[in-house]
Structure formats: C-alpha cells, structure tokens
Amino acid sequence: MSQDAAYTPQELSPDEALASLYRLAMSVAAENGATITTGARGLGPYAFMAEARRRGVIIRFLDHREP
C-alpha cells in the first residue's frame, strides 16, 4: 500500500494519522514523567514521519473529531 492511496472522508490522511500518533506518544511519555525537550516537540513530528515513511509504515485512523 502506498502513501498516495486514497482515503475516505472519515479517515485522517497518512500525515494526519502519523502526527496524531506522534502527539499521543508525546502525551503518554509526559504523563509518565519523561522530560520532552523543545527540539523533540518542534522537529520531532517531522523526523517521526520521515522515519515512518522510510520504514514503509502505513497507518490510518478514523477521524471521530467533531466538525
């Protein structure tokens, strides 16, 4: 499956899904006492997405947010 695969309006785009996963990971780390540097918060999502793409990871989430 490629990053260019179509997604339905109820799904987050591949970039949105990876960004959501990164935010979740940062939240879990912070809740468990990790110190997250400004650099990790600022550049981290882009590095995370780049590494996920390099490894061929495809993630899709349904978007249940209110409009």
Side-chain angles (χ1 to χ4, degrees):
M1 187 176 282
S2 109
Q3 286 286 344
D4 298 325
Y7 56 94
T8 67
Q10 295 84 19
E11 292 180 317
L12 298 175
S13 73
D15 283 350
E16 291 170 328
L18 287 171
S20 291
L21 184 59
Y22 179 79
R23 285 191 301 271
L24 175 62
M26 292 295 101
S27 293
V28 169
E31 287 173 11
N32 286 286
T35 301
I36 302 171
T37 65
T38 302
R41 288 218 181 262
L43 296 175
Y46 303 104
F48 180 82
M49 287 181 200
E51 183 63 16
R53 283 194 193 99
R54 186 184 75 75
R55 292 176 182 240
V57 174
I58 303 295
I59 300 170
R60 291 187 176 188
F61 292 117
L62 294 177
D63 185 3
H64 292 294
R65 294 177 291 185
E66 293 295 321

